[in-house]
Amino acid sequence: MTQSLIFALARGRLLDETSSLLTELGIEPIESLTGSRRLMFDTRHPGVKLLVLRATDVPPYVERGGAHLGIAGKDVLLEYGSDMLCEPVDLQLSRCRLMTAMKKGIELPAKGRIRVATKYVNIARRHFASQGRQIDPIKLYGAMELAPLVGLADVIVDVVDTGNTLEANGLEPRDLIIHSSARLIVSRVAMKTRHQHIFPMIEKLNKWTKSQHAS
Ligand code: PRP
């Protein structure tokens, strides 16, 4: 018997937006994906199992064969930086901007290393290098907005959606680094070995994405 097709999902905001996509694929989890301590879920689709992971863990699971495919934000994918992952569909979910932000009215130090608080250390390093600046990264896992307020960092690199979190903390957006959205990701290996299952999914999701954004 063929091993189940394993589909890795990111928990949090993106998981809520993923349910209609799963319905489109005929993949209905047997129990609710939220409010359970379970990490692997059976579905009503024979031969498909779901994993619910931290967003940053989806790329390594798919790259290393722990899952055949998954859903991950472009921000997370750029930070992870793998050439073993295909991104066949831009699902256009969880759209946001990755930006630098600083305290209102404050400028970057004229010289020396810039202290950057972020969970996107690689992206931040590349962004500031493109401006000829080196950074002293401070890797944080949340509440980045606090770092400039208490003098821990000069600048943050973080996701901005409505801009409300920056505004509520006296920060303002500065450089736009990328526009991000969720992507279907497939490992190069699974693209070959499981193509008879994965290609129809890609086709369905391409059509679904177009129909969602047609109007
Ligand atoms: C993200 C991000 C900001 C906020 C931006 O955090 O880190 O704090 O959303 O959204 P806004 O521009 O609409 O205010 P999230 O709530 O996803 O939690 P996280 O810190 O765990 O990533």
Side-chain angles (χ1 to χ4, degrees):
M1 205 180 105
T2 327
Q3 187 211 350
S4 296
L5 192 74
I6 301 181
F7 197 149
L9 304 175
R11 67 175 178 236
R13 259 191 240 204
L14 185 52
L15 191 59
D16 302 333
E17 295 187 51
T18 306
S19 62
S20 58
L21 175 156
L22 293 177
T23 307
E24 181 65 23
L25 294 175
I27 301 171
E28 193 192 340
I30 280 173
E31 63 179 292
S32 166
L33 299 179
T34 53
S36 164
R37 299 296 294 168
R38 192 184 278 278
L39 302 169
M40 185 185 264
F41 294 83
D42 286 322
T43 71
R44 297 194 197 285
H45 188 302
V48 179
K49 287 184 192 289
L50 299 173
L51 306 184
V52 179
L53 307 173
R54 253 173 208 268
T56 47
D57 291 343
V58 173
Y61 264 78
V62 176
E63 180 187 48
R64 301 298 185 102
H68 298 99
L69 70 172
I71 296 178
K74 185 67 185 173
D75 53 341
V76 170
L77 289 166
L78 276 179
E79 178 65 16
Y80 186 69
S82 169
D83 55 7
M84 289 307 290
L85 295 171
C86 308
E87 290 172 38
V89 188
D90 179 353
L91 300 165
Q92 300 189 36
L93 300 174
S94 280
R95 289 155 90 161
C96 58
R97 293 159 290 159
L98 195 62
M99 302 197 70
T100 67
M102 296 182 69
K103 274 166 84 171
K104 286 184 180 165
I106 300 289
E107 292 307 323
L108 285 175
K111 55 185 180 177
R113 286 173 179 261
I114 303 167
R115 295 170 307 150
V116 186
T118 187
K119 53 182 163 189
Y120 302 95
V121 170
N122 298 327
I123 293 175
R125 217 187 282 284
R126 282 199 296 272
H127 174 72
F128 284 104
S130 76
Q131 300 179 350
R133 302 293 306 261
Q134 284 192 311
I135 67 166
D136 179 8
I138 302 154
K139 173 102 179 181
L140 298 178
Y141 294 89
M144 256 67 74
E145 294 83 1
L146 194 56
L149 304 185
V150 296
L152 188 67
D154 302 305
V155 58
I156 65 170
V157 169
D158 198 13
V159 161
V160 179
D161 179 13
T162 61
N164 292 344
T165 311
L166 293 182
E167 183 63 34
N169 290 290
L171 303 183
E172 60 187 9
R174 298 285 172 89
D175 306 346
L176 171 65
I177 303 177
I178 52 151
H179 285 279
S180 179
S181 55
R183 311 294 161 102
L184 179 75
I185 61 168
V186 186
S187 72
R188 291 200 186 282
V189 173
M191 206 66 143
K192 287 186 190 140
T193 58
R194 304 302 290 257
H195 67 274
Q196 76 279 20
H197 297 117
I198 290 173
F199 279 16
M201 286 183 164
I202 292 173
E203 270 181 18
K204 274 189 190 158
L205 289 179
N206 265 324
K207 278 190 196 141
W208 177 82
T209 305
K210 282 199 187 99
S211 71
Q212 295 288 303
H213 297 90
S215 50

